[in-house]
């Protein structure tokens, strides 16, 4: 492995208005690689993205402990981002409609970004804007440049957001649930576009989703988050095929898959609120493998024989149980 | 000129509409403003020209038709550009010759000789034909507010270029005075012929007076000396009358030097003046402030004993202090205090005991109530209310708009109201028709005593000692009937930063200009 | 464009209805209140014969229905009639100079209000010091509670009388001389309207700052100055347009009150004068012109709104 590390997060905790919402995130992203973050709403995946993208202060959040390094820069220091925005890291937001100024044409958005990043590639901002739109697969860029956000479809707008995000050729592209608001068919196109662009432009990407399937299409490694912690991470393929954490297993079982018959298996119960996190394993109250010992201490990520890291004190026992069950 | 109007249209208080409340506050601020100016004053005058005077007035001329302009300022402005056959002397007691060289009175006919070589301001000659045509127009105008002055005139004819004959229906000793009023301005016969009913529309008519109209609109009238007027030219070549409807603003603008002169200022505000701005007070030679009483049968005041009791119970000194800032002269008889005809018989202070005595055996013996209909400043109503309370008469004050007051007065729908009236000249034969006459009652008292009517009829045609003895009888009968209660003289206050000799109101309530 | 046409059509219909209603409504009202125009014109000593002759000449002896019908018939020929007091003068030509004064006062006040309101509102939203924001809001609340004439009086006293920075009321009658007289009364109106706008802009700017697109622009590296000017400012101004439209009535009535404080020869003075002399056609004319100005003002606000917000241009 000679890949250089672009982003390194270890034991990161995030508080908003004094309330700890993320307690321990470990994450590593290599240059040019694609990493997925998966979890339910409230698992802390979006906050983690914000922390990396530098938009925590805007919602009153801060990193309270741990280390977070992006491209050699310590992101826990305030104002570390000023010159990282757009060039080193950029964000494709969840909702493209609210992320565009309703009173500005698409062209104005692109041109201001290109100018701010001084990234017109010698083409002039307007031509570069058109080129970017083509790059994200939009036809008739000239017309789109003149249009207002509300005049575009959701998929087109999300492509515009991607064009904006890649305008400065960032080293890291963070896509925070970029497909949530879209039709299934469009979702696939967008994820494919993101995968293709990051490969072609040699950008690293963090793709966040509550859907492992979405993540699997475009990432090499994946981190699964639950209640403000990473509970499992490792190669995407491995985790998809052989999930080890009971939560990851449950998540995969809950996922609708085409061709699969039978009823969906939901995860019973609901995640605890950050104020009432259990003292031990946070998934324990919903876990079918839980034992009293699970409530004693917060489990840490540990390497497993299958190549992923899992935070579950019973990971080996469960593996044995399942093998037995399968046999 | 007599008018049924609130004594002072100056500051409006105690009224309901927000605009009026605002106006009251404006008044308050104006006082602040004026007090604030007591330091170094704004030396900059309205302009450097010594031959121009700027005057702030409550209203400029809404129409150039003298027959339809009746406020003090409007009449006084009209008098400046309107040439008349006779001119009223500044004391208002006699006339001198104006455009006429001589006026020869007669019982059936007056003969007027014009000065030779008269010209209108445009240079066209002014002849007897113009005089005849002017009066022909006035006599035919059914909507002319001066119609009372034309009533005795049968016709006016030009005998030759310089001679005009006024044929009369009956002897009219006051004609020499009527000829001096703005209602008798001479205008070109040519325009009367050409413009017909539209005489006063379009360009101002050529002037026959001391000044001519340079421009006239709703906000401003500018007069310039008329070089063709047959008298010494005034030093003041230009007079600019600007409409500043709010009296406090007029005052503030004269204080700041934007204006040289502000007419019709409330007496209470005059004490606040400072610096080069001084108060000017004019007392009408023939005018008074009255407490009008409803003599009609629908009012308790139809009983003369109650009217006299009311007049006895009111404290004229107190009214002068509170309403007129002690600047007025008390009204103790039928005429202005300066008039030789005046025979004072009323008391300066209230006499409660005498009033109660008068009330004995009347409807008001124990107690009764009267309505005081008031428009504008209610000070006078409040003092009367207090005064009458002492004799057991409850006064309720109804505040109404001036137009409503006028209507109620017309219909006799009131008990008491404060009113002022004035006549430019001291000619009781004319003015008494409006205070005491039964037909055209400017004061709307409804007073109708045949004996008085007869005296007034006699007065119309009387002159010399006959007139004097008739006036004596009028005074006596007035004292007996007391249809209305004189309170004070008719006073007009102004604020000026120029010497009073140069510009101001005479006791005729016309302007003098040097 | 369909949206624009629909608004235009709606407003034209409104103008016709307002014109009809105001003419008949005020026409009837001014005829029902006591007071005789002919008597007001001729003075108290004119003979009853002269007064009744004038009533005939003014058409006041006709039944009220007929008088109103004639007003409406004339109105649809674009004729507001002729004044009673200023005999024979066309009402419109009497009102227009006064309207010009009131309209310039309202226009200057509007410009002052928008400039100061937007500036202060934006500043309050962007200032990071809570005590400055608190102080600003406190001052705005006080200014909003200050009645227009009071504001006028205070300004008159402080600025004209004490500081001698402006004339104590009056009007030059011509431009640019009027500028010397108009700014202080305009300031008096700005105290309310500017505060109202500042408050709205502050809130809208704060809301906009929290919008994802502002965040998004920031994370794209767009400089703060551009974010303020191109993202926050236009979105913060947006609610000002309907706000100003809704306050058209205030602007006119406020202008009328402030005019009286500063002795400007505007519609207010004209109306009081016409009311005093019972100059019915002029009263009717001023009511009509005022009502129509407000409708037209609202129309302009609608169009400005469409011009400012592309989302409203969607045609259905």
């Amino acid at each position: 492995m000679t890949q250089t590390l672009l982003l390194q997060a270890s034991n990161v905790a995030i508080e908003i208005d004094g309330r700890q919402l993320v307690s321990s995130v470990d994450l590593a992203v290599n240059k040019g690689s694609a990493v997925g973050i998966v979890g339910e709403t409230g698992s802390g995946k979006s906050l983690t993205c914000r922390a990396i993208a530098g938009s925590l202060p805007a919602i009153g959040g801060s990193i309270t402990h741990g280390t977070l390094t992006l491209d050699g820069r310590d992101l826990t220091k305030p104002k570390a981002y000023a010159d990282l925005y757009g060039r080193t890291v950029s964000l494709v937001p969840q909702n493209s409609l609210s992320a565009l100024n309703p009173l500005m044409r698409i062209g104005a958005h692109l041109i201001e970004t290109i100018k701010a990043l001084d990234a017109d590639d010698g083409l002039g901002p307007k031509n570069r804007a058109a080129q970017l739109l083509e790059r994200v697969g939009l036809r008739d860029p000239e017309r789109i440049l003149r249009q207002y956000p509300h005049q575009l479809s959701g998929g087109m707008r999300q492509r515009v957001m991607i064009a904006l995000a890649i305008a400065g050729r960032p080293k890291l592209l963070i896509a925070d649930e970029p497909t949530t608001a879209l039709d299934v068919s469009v979702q696939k196109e967008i994820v494919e576009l993101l995968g293709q662009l990051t490969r072609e432009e040699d950008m690293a990407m963090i793709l966040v989703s509550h859907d492992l399937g979405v993540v699997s299409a475009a990432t090499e490694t994946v981190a699964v988050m639950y209640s403000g912690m990473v509970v499992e991470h490792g190669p995407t393929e491995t985790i998809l095929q052989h999930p080890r954490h009971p939560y990851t297993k449950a998540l995969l079982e809950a996922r609708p898959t085409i061709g699969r018959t039978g009823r969906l298996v939901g995860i019973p119960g609901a995640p605890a609120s950050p104020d009432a996190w259990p003292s031990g394993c946070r998934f324990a109250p919903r876990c079918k493998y839980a034992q009293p010992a699970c409530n004693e201490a917060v489990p840490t990520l540990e390497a497993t024989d299958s190549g992923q890291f899992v935070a579950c004190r019973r990971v080996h026992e469960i593996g044995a149980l399942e093998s037995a069950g399968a046999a | 000129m007599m008018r049924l109007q609130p004594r002072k249209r100056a500051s409006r208080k105690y009224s309901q509409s927000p605009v009026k409340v605002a106006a009251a506050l404006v008044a308050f601020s104006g006082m602040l403003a004026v007090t604030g100016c007591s330091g170094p004053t704004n030396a900059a005058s309205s302009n450097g020209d010594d031959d121009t005077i700027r005057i702030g007035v409550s209203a400029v001329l809404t129409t150039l038709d003298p027959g339809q302009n009746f406020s003090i300022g409007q009449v006084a402005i009209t008098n400046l550009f309107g040439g008349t056959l006779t001119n009223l002397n500044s004391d208002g007691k006699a006339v001198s010759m104006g455009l006429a060289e001589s006026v020869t009175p007669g019982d059936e006919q007056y003969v007027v000789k014009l000065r030779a070589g008269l010209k209108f301001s445009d240079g066209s000659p002014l002849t007897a034909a113009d005089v005849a045509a002017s009066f022909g127009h006035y006599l035919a105008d059914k909507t002319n507010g001066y119609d009372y002055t034309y009533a005795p005139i049968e016709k006016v004819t030009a005998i030759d270029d310089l001679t005009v004959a006024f044929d009369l229906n009956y002897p009219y000793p006051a004609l020499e005075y009527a000829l001096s009023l703005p209602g008798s301005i001479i205008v070109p016969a040519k325009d009367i012929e050409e413009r017909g009913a539209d005489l006063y529309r379009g360009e101002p008519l050529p002037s026959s007076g001391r000044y001519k109209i340079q421009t006239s609109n709703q906000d401003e009238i500018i007069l310039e000396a008329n070089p063709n007027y047959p008298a010494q030219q005034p030093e003041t070549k230009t007079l600019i009358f600007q409409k500043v409807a709010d009296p406090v603003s007029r005052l503030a603008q004269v204080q700041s030097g934007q204006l040289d002169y502000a007419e019709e200022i409330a007496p209470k505000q005059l004490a606040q003046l400072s610096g080069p701005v001084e108060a000017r007070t004019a007392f009408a030679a023939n005018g008074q402030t009255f407490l009008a009483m409803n003599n009609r049968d629908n009012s308790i005041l139809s009983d003369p004993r109650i009217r006299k009791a009311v007049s006895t119970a009111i404290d004229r000194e107190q009214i002068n202090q509170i309403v007129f800032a002690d600047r007025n002269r008390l009204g103790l008889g039928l005429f202005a205090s300066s008039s030789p005809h005046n025979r004072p018989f009323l008391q300066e202070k209230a006499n409660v005991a005498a009033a109660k005595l008068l009330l004995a055996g009347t409807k008001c013996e124990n107690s009764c109530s009267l309505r005081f209909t008031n428009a504008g400043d209610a000070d006078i109503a409040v003092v009367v209310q207090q005064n009458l309370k002492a004799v057991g008469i409850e006064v309720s004050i109804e505040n109404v708009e001036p137009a409503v007051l006028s209507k109620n007065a017309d219909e006799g729908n009131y008990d008491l109201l404060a009113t002022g009236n004035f006549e430019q000249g001291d000619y009781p034969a004319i003015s008494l028709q409006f205070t005491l006459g039964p037909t055209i009652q400017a004061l709307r008292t409804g007073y109708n005593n045949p004996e008085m009517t007869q005296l007034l009829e006699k007065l119309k045609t009387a002159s010399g000692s006959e007139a004097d003895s008739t006036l004596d009888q009028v005074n006596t009968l007035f004292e007996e009937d007391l249809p209305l209660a004189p309170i004070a003289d008719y006073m007009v206050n102004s604020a000026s930063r120029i010497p009073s000799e140069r510009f101001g109101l005479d006791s005729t309530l016309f302007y003098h200009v040097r | 464009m369909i949206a624009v046409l629909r608004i235009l059509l709606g407003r034209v219909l409104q103008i016709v209805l307002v014109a009809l209603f105001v003419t008949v409504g005020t026409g009837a009202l001014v005829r029902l209140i006591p007071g005789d125009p002919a008597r007001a014109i001729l003075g108290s000593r004119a003979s009853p014969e002269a007064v009744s002759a004038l009533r005939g000449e003014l058409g006041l002896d006709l039944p009220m229905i007929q008088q109103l019908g004639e007003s409406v018939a004339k109105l649809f020929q674009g004729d507001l009639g002729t004044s009673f007091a200023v005999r024979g003068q066309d009402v419109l030509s009497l009102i227009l100079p006064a309207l010009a004064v009131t309209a310039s006062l309202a226009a200057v006040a509007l410009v002052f209000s928008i400039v100061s309101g937007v500036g202060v509102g934006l500043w309050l939203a962007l200032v990071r010091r809570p005590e400055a924001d608190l102080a600003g809001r406190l001052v705005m609340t006080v200014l909003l509670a200050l009645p227009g004439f009071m504001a006028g009086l205070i300004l008159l006293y402080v600025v004209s009388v004490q500081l001698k920075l402006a004339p104590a009321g009056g009007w030059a009658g011509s431009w640019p001389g009027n500028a010397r007289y108009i700014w202080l009364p305009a300031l008096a109106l700005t105290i309310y309207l500017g505060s109202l706008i500042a408050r709205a802009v502050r809130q809208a700017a704060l809301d906009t700052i929290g919008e994802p697109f502002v965040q998004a622009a920031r994370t794209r590296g767009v400089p703060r100055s551009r974010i303020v000017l191109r993202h926050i400012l236009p979105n913060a101004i947006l609610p000002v347009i309907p706000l100003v439209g809704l306050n058209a009535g205030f602007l006119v009535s406020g202008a009328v009150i402030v005019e009286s404080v500063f002795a400007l020869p505007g519609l207010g003075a004209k109306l009081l004068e016409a009311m005093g002399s019972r100059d019915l056609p002029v009263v009717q004319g001023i009511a009509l012109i005022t009502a129509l100005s407000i409708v037209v003002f609202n129309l302009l606000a609608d169009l400005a709104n469409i011009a400012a917000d592309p989302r409203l241009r969607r045609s259905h």
Side-chain angles (χ1 to χ4, degrees):
Chain A
M1 287 290 194
T2 54
Q3 283 174 323
T4 34
L5 208 55
L6 181 66
L7 175 85
Q8 167 91 60
S10 72
N11 201 21
V12 168
I14 300 170
E15 276 186 7
I16 290 185
D17 299 331
R19 202 161 163 240
Q20 194 179 65
L21 297 180
V22 170
S23 60
S24 171
V25 168
D26 294 271
L27 201 64
V29 180
N30 286 328
K31 276 195 173 139
S33 71
V35 174
I37 300 180
V38 175
E40 289 168 299
T41 307
S43 62
K45 57 189 196 303
S46 283
L47 278 181
T48 306
C49 285
R50 278 180 168 274
I52 301 166
S55 55
L56 268 186
I59 54 167
S62 60
I63 296 171
T64 48
H65 74 77
T67 58
L68 185 61
T69 322
L70 176 63
D71 202 21
R73 216 70 89 78
D74 181 2
L75 295 189
T76 56
K77 297 231 168 69
K79 300 209 171 178
Y81 288 93
D83 55 347
L84 293 182
Y85 284 142
R87 294 190 185 90
T88 305
V89 58
S90 63
L91 187 73
V92 177
Q94 220 171 77
N95 182 345
S96 62
L97 187 59
S98 64
L100 289 167
N101 183 342
L103 305 186
M104 264 168 69
R105 294 172 199 271
I106 300 300
H109 283 92
L110 279 162
I111 290 168
E112 74 170 6
T113 308
I114 291 163
K115 281 183 178 165
L117 300 174
D118 195 15
D120 67 356
D121 285 5
L123 297 172
K126 188 151 183 259
N127 291 333
R128 170 68 174 148
Q131 190 195 41
L132 279 168
L133 290 183
E134 271 173 5
R135 192 82 188 77
V136 297
L138 285 169
R139 274 172 298 174
D140 200 358
E142 294 296 334
R143 188 176 59 87
I144 292 173
L145 285 177
R146 285 194 307 273
Q147 286 186 308
Y148 286 96
H150 72 270
Q151 293 173 301
L152 301 182
S153 71
M156 288 165 93
R157 271 199 304 267
Q158 198 54 282
R159 284 174 196 268
V160 170
M161 292 317 299
I162 294 169
L164 283 167
I166 64 170
R169 294 210 171 75
K171 291 172 182 163
L172 175 62
L173 185 70
I174 301 174
D176 184 7
E177 305 226 30
T179 62
T180 317
L182 304 176
D183 293 342
V184 180
S185 58
V186 185
Q187 283 185 7
K188 198 159 164 270
E189 286 171 28
I190 295 289
V191 172
E192 275 167 10
L193 175 67
L194 284 170
Q196 180 204 340
L197 284 173
T198 46
R199 277 193 302 280
E200 288 174 12
E201 305 269 338
D202 197 26
M203 281 185 280
M205 173 169 71
I206 295 176
L207 177 60
V208 179
S209 179
H210 56 271
D211 186 344
L212 256 171
V214 168
V215 167
S216 68
T219 62
E220 291 112 50
T221 56
V222 69
V224 179
M225 288 189 71
Y226 184 82
S227 287
M229 291 180 71
V230 173
V231 293
E232 179 164 6
H233 82 73
T236 310
E237 205 58 23
T238 314
I239 288 179
L240 210 57
Q241 298 302 322
H242 305 289
R244 297 294 295 273
H245 194 282
Y247 173 66
T248 316
K249 286 172 189 287
L251 204 58
L252 277 169
E253 279 163 14
R255 186 176 158 248
T257 310
I258 294 157
R260 186 167 139 172
T261 55
R263 293 187 54 203
L264 290 179
V265 183
I267 307 173
S273 119
D275 304 311
W277 275 338
S279 51
C281 174
R282 288 177 189 162
F283 188 59
R286 299 170 77 188
C287 182
K288 59 180 176 180
Y289 305 105
Q291 287 185 336
C294 289
N295 292 324
E296 279 164 20
V298 180
T300 51
L301 282 171
E302 277 165 33
T304 63
D305 46 1
S306 48
Q308 68 254 57
F309 293 81
V310 179
C312 174
R313 58 192 305 127
R314 297 196 65 206
V315 61
H316 301 293
E317 295 165 45
I318 294 166
L321 274 171
E322 296 229 314
S323 310
Chain B
M1 203 55 21
M2 258 183 241
R3 265 176 76 80
L4 182 72
Q5 63 175 27
R7 242 314 277 160
K8 289 175 287 93
R9 286 168 302 160
S11 64
R12 302 189 176 123
K13 291 188 1 185
Y14 309 113
S15 39
Q16 314 78 346
S17 88
V19 175
K20 287 184 180 169
V21 175
L25 279 146
V26 174
F28 162 75
S29 93
M31 281 183 249
L32 283 181
V34 174
T35 326
C37 272
S38 53
T41 42
N42 198 341
S45 179
S46 60
N47 55 64
D49 309 333
D50 270 350
D51 59 2
T52 300
I53 298 177
R54 277 173 193 272
I55 304 109
V57 292
S58 59
V60 286
L61 305 176
T62 51
T63 157
L64 294 173
D65 185 347
Q68 298 193 349
N69 277 307
F70 292 96
S71 80
I72 297 170
Q74 287 173 334
V75 175
I77 293 169
T78 309
N79 186 58
L80 286 169
F81 65 80
T84 44
L85 298 173
T86 59
N87 290 340
L88 189 61
N89 293 348
S90 62
D91 63 2
K93 304 215 184 297
V95 296
S96 48
M97 291 303 110
L99 298 173
E101 194 179 71
S102 67
V103 175
T104 314
D107 279 357
E108 286 163 22
Q109 191 185 58
Y110 265 56
V111 177
V112 176
K113 273 270 183 211
L114 293 181
R115 292 174 193 241
L118 289 175
K119 283 181 197 161
F120 286 103
S121 59
D122 65 349
S124 61
L126 189 163
T127 67
D130 296 304
V131 177
S134 298
F135 281 93
H137 172 76
Y138 296 139
L139 296 181
D141 182 2
K142 292 282 170 273
T143 63
N144 193 311
Y146 283 93
D147 60 351
Y148 62 93
T149 66
Y150 313 131
I153 303 173
E154 195 206 337
K155 66 178 197 298
V156 181
T157 39
I159 310 267
D160 59 43
D161 267 7
L162 296 177
T163 316
V164 191
F166 286 76
D167 292 331
L168 304 177
N169 296 321
Y170 47 86
Y172 187 20
L175 179 62
E176 55 166 40
Y177 166 66
L179 294 181
S180 74
L181 293 176
S184 305
I185 288 171
I186 309 304
V187 294
K190 178 173 70 82
D191 290 297
I192 295 171
E193 215 168 279
E194 286 171 9
R195 299 198 194 186
D198 292 335
L199 184 58
Y200 296 100
R201 291 185 203 167
E203 282 295 295
L205 294 173
S207 158
S208 54
R210 282 186 86 190
Y211 285 84
K212 60 177 179 176
I213 299 169
Q214 206 225 347
T215 54
S216 171
N217 59 42
Q218 297 312 302
D219 300 314
E220 193 174 64
I221 180 165
I222 301 179
L223 301 183
E224 278 184 355
N226 174 8
N228 295 332
Y229 189 70
Q232 201 194 345
Q233 286 295 300
E235 286 167 32
T236 305
K237 298 294 175 210
T238 310
L239 292 169
I240 302 172
F241 292 90
Q242 283 176 325
K243 179 172 142 191
V244 182
D246 174 43
V248 177
S249 301
R250 285 202 294 279
L251 194 60
Q253 290 188 16
V254 78
Q255 191 75 67
S256 75
Q258 281 165 268
L259 295 173
D260 297 308
Y261 190 93
E263 71 140 30
E264 285 190 82
I265 300 296
K268 279 180 273 190
Q269 284 161 13
L270 291 172
Q272 320 280 347
L273 293 176
S274 68
V277 180
E278 287 172 6
R280 303 263 189 270
T281 303
F283 295 97
N286 183 4
Q288 268 183 303
T289 305
F290 285 115
L291 184 61
M293 302 189 272
N294 187 0
N295 288 229
R296 296 171 185 81
D297 288 340
N298 68 341
S299 171
I300 298 173
L301 292 171
S302 59
D303 182 342
R305 286 172 298 171
I306 302 179
R307 294 202 294 269
K308 282 180 194 169
V310 166
S311 174
T312 308
I314 56 176
D315 191 327
R316 292 174 174 79
E317 261 182 17
Q318 193 189 358
I319 291 175
N320 190 20
Q321 265 167 24
I322 291 177
V323 182
F324 302 114
D326 233 354
R327 290 175 168 271
N328 216 333
R329 302 167 182 160
L330 303 190
L332 306 176
L334 177 56
F335 296 94
S337 55
S338 64
S339 169
H341 316 299
N342 193 35
R343 209 168 79 189
F345 65 97
L346 297 163
Q347 299 304 307
E348 295 167 357
K349 307 281 288 177
N351 187 339
V352 175
K356 283 201 165 154
L357 214 58
L358 282 163
L359 288 177
T362 69
K363 284 179 189 164
C364 290
E365 181 165 16
N366 298 315
S367 78
C368 62
S369 60
L370 294 173
R371 286 184 304 146
F372 195 121
T373 306
N374 180 70
D377 196 327
D379 282 357
I380 199 164
V382 172
V383 177
V384 168
Q385 186 180 43
Q386 285 173 2
N387 288 166
L388 294 190
K389 198 168 185 175
V391 295
I393 299 175
E394 290 292 330
V395 173
S396 59
I397 300 173
E398 285 176 357
N399 279 307
V400 297
E401 253 193 298
V404 176
L405 179 80
S406 160
K407 182 177 190 291
N408 289 353
D410 271 345
E411 293 168 356
N413 178 17
Y414 73 97
D415 291 320
L416 294 167
L417 55 86
T419 180
N421 78 94
F422 67 93
E423 183 73 38
Q424 272 79 15
D426 192 7
Y427 287 79
I430 287 189
S431 61
L432 286 179
Q433 300 295 328
F434 301 98
T435 21
L436 303 176
T439 48
I440 314 173
Q441 266 193 358
L443 301 182
R444 308 295 193 275
T445 56
Y447 174 58
N448 191 357
N449 181 344
E451 202 183 328
M452 179 67 87
T453 307
Q454 214 182 339
L455 287 173
L456 294 183
E457 279 303 309
K458 197 168 159 196
L459 200 58
K460 273 187 189 174
T461 58
S463 53
S465 60
E466 191 196 359
D468 288 345
S469 72
T470 311
L471 275 176
D472 246 13
Q473 296 173 50
V474 168
N475 266 321
T476 307
L477 189 53
F478 176 75
E479 203 173 327
E480 225 165 82
D481 286 350
L482 202 74
L484 39 76
I487 289 178
D489 274 3
Y490 194 97
M491 172 179 77
V492 180
N493 290 293
S494 308
S496 171
R497 53 194 304 136
I498 46 179
S500 61
E501 322 74 88
R502 188 164 168 217
F503 181 88
L505 276 180
D506 288 328
S507 56
T508 54
L509 304 189
F510 286 147
Y511 291 119
H512 63 263
V513 192
R514 197 174 65 188
Chain C
M1 282 308 102
I2 290 174
V4 175
L5 283 177
R6 203 174 49 227
I7 285 172
L8 280 176
L9 200 70
R11 291 292 184 191
V12 166
L13 195 69
Q14 193 184 354
I15 284 172
V16 172
L17 289 177
V18 164
L20 204 65
F21 181 78
V22 169
T23 302
V24 173
T26 52
L29 272 177
V30 292
R31 281 173 176 79
L32 287 173
I33 55 171
D36 181 359
R39 175 59 78 190
I41 291 166
L42 290 182
S44 55
R45 67 193 320 186
S47 64
E49 294 75 37
V51 172
S52 108
L54 187 57
R55 286 182 62 82
E57 211 171 280
L58 298 176
L60 287 165
D61 47 359
L62 300 173
M64 189 166 91
I65 295 289
Q66 197 177 337
Q67 294 181 41
L68 293 180
E70 277 174 18
S71 291
V72 171
K74 275 188 190 162
L75 181 67
F76 284 103
Q77 297 160 18
D79 181 4
L80 295 183
T82 50
S83 163
F84 286 175
V86 187
R87 294 295 303 287
Q89 175 124 22
D90 178 44
V91 166
L92 196 63
S93 71
L94 267 182
I95 296 176
L96 281 182
L99 178 67
V101 173
T102 303
S104 18
L105 176 59
V108 173
L110 194 59
V111 171
F112 281 11
S113 300
I114 290 176
V115 170
S116 64
V118 169
V120 170
L122 198 61
W123 180 76
L124 286 177
L126 294 175
V127 71
R128 299 242 167 83
R129 304 236 296 278
E131 63 275 13
D133 183 50
L134 187 72
R137 279 157 60 200
L138 206 68
V139 168
M140 277 193 303
T141 310
V142 171
L143 294 184
L144 279 172
L146 198 64
F149 62 87
M150 207 59 201
L153 293 182
I154 292 170
L155 286 178
L156 189 74
Y157 180 66
V158 175
V159 181
S160 292
V161 176
Q162 292 297 334
L163 304 175
K164 299 190 190 303
L165 293 177
W171 192 243
S174 64
W175 294 96
N178 290 338
R180 213 162 77 81
Y181 295 90
I182 205 173
W183 69 270
L184 200 58
L187 204 60
L189 280 176
T190 302
I191 283 182
Y192 177 82
L193 195 58
S195 302
L196 201 66
I197 291 176
R199 198 170 64 170
V201 165
R202 176 186 166 275
Q203 193 51 51
L206 283 178
D207 291 347
T208 309
I209 290 169
E211 286 279 349
F213 66 80
V214 170
Q215 285 305 312
R218 190 169 296 150
T219 58
R220 289 199 303 272
V222 178
R224 183 178 153 86
S225 60
R226 189 177 162 88
I227 289 179
V228 169
L229 289 178
R230 286 301 308 273
H231 291 267
I232 299 175
L233 183 61
N235 281 282
I237 286 178
L238 223 46
V240 169
I241 298 168
L243 184 74
V244 168
L246 283 174
N247 278 280
F250 159 80
L251 207 57
V252 173
S253 61
V256 163
I257 289 172
V258 168
E259 271 167 13
S260 81
V261 174
F262 288 90
L264 300 186
L267 281 183
K270 198 61 143 186
L271 182 64
L272 276 183
E273 181 190 315
M275 219 36 226
S277 63
R278 291 291 187 270
D279 195 343
L280 308 186
V282 173
V283 173
Q284 264 173 269
I286 290 174
L288 181 66
I289 292 280
T290 310
L292 291 187
S293 313
I294 291 173
V295 177
V296 169
F297 193 83
N298 280 322
L299 170 65
L300 293 178
D302 286 347
L303 296 179
N305 215 9
I306 288 183
D309 191 344
R311 285 167 294 188
L312 299 176
R313 275 174 243 162
R314 227 183 311 209
S315 45
H316 297 283

